[in-house]
Amino acid sequence: PQHQVGAGGAVPHPAEVVPIRVFGARLETSAAVLAAAVRWGAAEGLHLLNLSLGTLAIHGVVPLYAACEGARRGGTTVVAAVHAGRGWSYPAIFANAIGVGALEGAERALEVRPDEAVECLAPAEHDGVRAPGGALRRVRGTSFAAPVVTGIAARLLERSPGAGLEEVRELLRRFASECVSA
């Protein structure tokens, strides 16, 4: 990872983006592949895993839940987008993952609803996103909301390295309430 000098000359903790391929030639995958990706990320010691996707397939619940639980126990936090059309999907509604839905028409960066299955809402519309080939385009969907929450969590983990899932949840809750208060 590259280090950049932040405000005041301080060098922030380096963050590294590690893409994990779950799609083949088409934009389709399976719950088994998602579970394997979560297990791999956790085994590699990644602190945060962003899943800008999920599954509605009931046959994938047990292996995907087990992978997320293994990640949680190992200190990896899984952040997962809900299915945009259904408002839920796996692993976003698992207790051992942070589920993210779309925050419509708001100027806030984050809304946290601790007692809901889908506990975080973030902006899901973004302008100026680079598409393959380099063109800029407007994007919309929960697949673009989940990385917002993952990015906020990554920044919060700079101040609280080693925080587990419950601590990350609390950090996100505090961040969201500070944004509303400000």
Side-chain angles (χ1 to χ4, degrees), residues 113-117 119:
R113 310 172 310 171
D115 297 325
E116 301 285 329
E119 61 200 275

Side-chain angles (χ1 to χ4, degrees), residues 16 27 63 113 130:
E16 185 177 0
L27 287 178
R113 310 172 310 171
R130 269 223 200 268

